[in-house]
């Protein structure tokens, strides 16, 4: 069944209950949200992955005959939204497709678009459905070059595709149905794993949208729940997250071979807590049986002011789990957030001790300000070194509270 957002506006998407990994992070399933907007004419906004054609067409069919769709709007060409397009075009070969020029070029790289009736639009262009008016706003690199927002003026609904989305599979379609806390937590993980490197563009785009003076009562993204009761809250959260607003909190990320780096991580955490700051201690494993998955760790980092990375040295390198995490963190570039985070590296070693220097270099490459020269211990930390780790935790906590 479709879900009504407003008279003449319906969610007609698909629920992917069993997807557990996407874009490198873990998720409890997701949805691919498509929307039907019906005035005198009917427009379909976005689609789903290939394989969900029947589900999407079934939901459309609960509202109207799919053959009566007059326009298709493609806000974003990534295949989780455009995968159903070839089947739809086959069914509706004469229906115009509205998208950006970059989306047109991108569609041509994904599909054989011979004969597709593509209409390229720019920011400010409108599509009058008769009683419902769609306005397009290009949003390049939020998060692909082709991305676009669509705004429905009569109902004050913004369709921003991936922006403001969350990966969650649920019977709930709206934030008030899922619960505000859960909706924000899923949105925070989505932002941490996808949007951090785009933070400056987010702030610029939100300024631009604010400058349009349009009323936004509902935000209907392409994944997860629709922001019906807390549209203002998710807009504010995107501003805060992009600005790097964070808690007095330290995230300690580490792996260990024989427990020495664990001893250091725990002593550092004790020092942080002694200063009254919050701390998360995350063992880097795959997160299924023990430890914490990298995608949950970067979610913790988003609202932490400090990141400490620990690794023993293996063949003069960081452990492979730590290397994978640091590569993921470098890609996300938390240094793009307005407020910078601080960090440092620690670890034990036997013969060679290159891991700490490598971790420090990776933190710097991610845009994190390294505040300590690196903390090595040889084999097991002794009592003095445990005390030094404790003091390092206190120092980091005091530093973040002073910022
Ligand atoms: Fe949900 Fe960028 O695709």
């Amino acid at each position: 069944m479709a879900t009504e957002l407003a008279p003449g506006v319906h969610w007609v998407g698909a629920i992917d209950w069993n997807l557990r990994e996407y874009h490198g992070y873990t998720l409890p399933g997701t949805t691919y949200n498509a929307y039907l907007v019906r005035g005198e004419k009917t427009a379909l906004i976005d689609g789903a992955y290939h394989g969900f054609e029947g589900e999407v067409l079934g939901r459309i069919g609960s509202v109207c005959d799919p053959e009566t769709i007059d326009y298709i709007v493609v806000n974003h060409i990534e295949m989780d939204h455009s995968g159903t397009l070839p089947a739809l075009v086959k069914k509706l070969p004469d229906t115009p497709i509205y998208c950006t020029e970059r989306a047109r070029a991108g569609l041509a790289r994904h599909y054989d678009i011979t004969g597709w009736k593509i209409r390229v639009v720019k920011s400010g262009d409108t599509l009058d459905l008769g009683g419902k008016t769609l306005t397009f706003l290009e949003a390049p690199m939020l998060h692909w070059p082709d991305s676009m927002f669509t705004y429905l003026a009569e109902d004050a609904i913004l369709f921003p595709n991936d922006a403001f989305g969350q990966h969650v599979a649920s019977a709930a379609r709206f934030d008030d149905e899922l619960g505000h806390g859960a909706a924000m937590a899923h949105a925070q993980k989505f932002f941490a794993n996808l949007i951090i490197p785009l933070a400056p563009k987010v702030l610029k785009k939100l300024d631009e949208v604010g400058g349009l003076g349009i009323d936004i009562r509902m935000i209907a993204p392409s994944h997860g729940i629709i922001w019906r009761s807390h549209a203002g809250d998710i807009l504010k959260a995107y501003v805060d997250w992009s600005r790097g607003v964070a808690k007095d909190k330290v995230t300690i990320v580490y792996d260990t071979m024989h427990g020495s780096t664990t001893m250091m991580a725990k002593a550092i955490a004790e020092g942080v807590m002694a200063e009254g700051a919050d701390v998360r201690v995350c063992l880097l494993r795959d997160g299924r049986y023990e430890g914490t998955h990298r995608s949950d760790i970067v979610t913790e980092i988003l609202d932490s002011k400090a990141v400490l990375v620990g690794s023993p040295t293996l063949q003069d390198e960081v452990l492979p789990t730590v290397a994978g995490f640091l590569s993921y963190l470098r890609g996300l570039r938390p240094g793009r957030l307005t407020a910078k985070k601080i960090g440092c590296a620690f670890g034990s070693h036997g013969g060679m001790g290159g891991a700490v220097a490598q971790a420090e270099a990776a933190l710097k490459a991610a845009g994190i300000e390294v505040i300590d020269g690196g903390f090595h211990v040889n084999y097991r930390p002794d009592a003095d070194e445990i005390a030094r780790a404790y003091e390092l935790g206190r120092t980091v906590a005091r530093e973040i509270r002073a910022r």
Side-chain angles (χ1 to χ4, degrees):
M1 287 291 292
T3 302
E4 188 180 75
L5 281 68
V9 184
H10 289 84
W11 173 84
V12 289
I15 306 173
D16 195 344
W17 293 99
N18 291 298
L19 191 69
R20 292 292 176 267
E21 195 278 338
Y22 189 60
H23 278 151
Y25 76 96
T26 55
L27 51 145
T30 192
T31 66
Y32 311 113
N33 296 338
Y35 300 95
L36 208 57
V37 181
R38 304 179 73 210
E40 291 165 23
K41 301 278 190 181
T42 298
L44 176 68
I45 300 176
D46 293 325
Y49 246 132
H50 174 59
F52 289 89
E53 290 84 353
E55 185 170 336
V56 171
L57 286 169
R59 289 194 208 282
I60 294 170
S62 71
V63 179
C64 66
D65 181 349
E67 308 261 351
T68 64
I69 292 172
D70 297 290
Y71 310 105
I72 297 167
V73 175
V74 174
N75 277 326
H76 178 34
I77 62 164
E78 194 165 4
M79 285 184 284
D80 52 330
H81 307 295
S82 70
T84 50
L85 198 52
L88 200 66
V89 175
K90 201 169 178 184
K91 199 173 184 63
L92 305 166
D94 297 321
T95 301
I97 298 165
Y98 288 72
C99 65
T100 63
E101 170 56 31
R102 283 172 162 169
R104 187 205 60 74
L107 286 172
R109 299 292 302 178
H110 284 78
Y111 310 109
D112 177 3
I113 63 168
T114 308
W116 291 20
K117 307 291 188 283
I118 293 179
R119 306 278 184 271
V120 169
V121 294
K122 293 186 171 62
S123 287
D125 287 353
T126 58
L127 178 59
D128 184 358
L129 304 179
K132 303 276 189 196
T133 312
L134 301 179
T135 302
F136 305 114
L137 179 63
E138 292 170 89
M141 296 316 294
L142 287 178
H143 69 125
W144 273 21
D146 59 282
S147 296
M148 177 172 85
F149 296 175
T150 296
Y151 176 68
L152 171 58
E154 287 79 1
D155 300 291
I157 301 175
L158 183 68
F159 302 95
N161 199 267
D162 283 325
F164 313 111
Q166 342 84 50
H167 285 308
V168 56
S170 164
R173 294 279 75 77
F174 297 99
D175 51 353
D176 48 286
E177 294 173 348
L178 186 69
H180 184 245
M184 291 301 289
H186 288 298
Q188 182 171 339
K189 183 168 181 176
F190 191 94
F191 187 99
N193 284 276
L194 276 177
I195 312 292
I196 283 179
L198 313 172
K201 290 186 187 302
V202 169
L203 291 172
K204 200 170 163 198
K205 185 54 65 180
L206 289 179
D207 268 354
E208 188 185 331
V209 171
L212 297 174
I214 56 175
D215 182 23
I216 299 176
R217 290 199 293 272
M218 202 180 298
I219 297 175
S222 59
H223 296 288
I225 56 86
I226 296 154
W227 302 95
R228 174 171 69 181
S229 301
H230 298 285
D233 286 2
I234 189 62
L235 286 168
K236 180 179 183 307
Y238 261 54
V239 171
D240 286 350
W241 291 331
S242 297
R243 286 180 178 161
V245 173
K247 300 172 185 161
D248 287 342
K249 173 175 151 185
V250 178
T251 296
I252 300 171
V253 191
Y254 75 102
D255 202 350
T256 192
M257 277 198 284
H258 300 294
S260 297
T261 305
T262 301
M263 292 168 68
M264 298 171 77
K266 292 178 81 169
I268 293 168
E270 289 295 322
V272 172
M273 289 188 285
E275 289 293 326
D278 196 4
V279 67
R280 296 287 183 277
V281 181
C282 304
L283 172 65
L284 264 170
R285 296 282 161 85
D286 66 10
R288 283 177 293 181
Y289 305 109
E290 62 174 343
T292 309
H293 192 268
R294 61 177 176 272
S295 56
D296 292 311
I297 296 173
V298 297
T299 308
E300 298 288 355
I301 288 173
L302 178 62
D303 67 1
S304 296
K305 290 182 180 173
V307 186
L308 276 59
V309 175
S311 177
T313 296
L314 175 67
Q315 318 291 19
D316 211 24
E317 300 281 338
V318 293
L319 284 186
T321 46
V322 179
F325 169 77
L326 290 172
S327 170
Y328 195 67
L329 188 68
R330 271 201 310 271
L332 289 171
R333 285 165 282 172
R336 291 274 179 91
L337 304 172
T338 312
K340 305 304 174 215
K341 299 183 189 300
I342 62 171
C344 61
F346 63 94
S348 74
H349 64 92
M352 296 174 284
V356 169
Q358 286 180 20
E360 279 185 343
L363 286 171
K364 287 176 186 168
I368 290 169
E369 182 190 339
V370 173
I371 61 157
D372 188 88
F375 180 19
H376 305 254
V377 304
N378 185 222
Y379 297 121
R380 306 285 284 177
D382 61 20
D384 286 347
E385 287 161 333
I386 289 296
R388 188 181 154 199
Y390 179 83
E391 285 307 316
L392 175 60
R394 291 187 65 196
T395 300
V396 170
R398 284 197 293 264
E399 180 69 25
I400 62 173
R401 296 181 87 176
R403 290 181 176 232

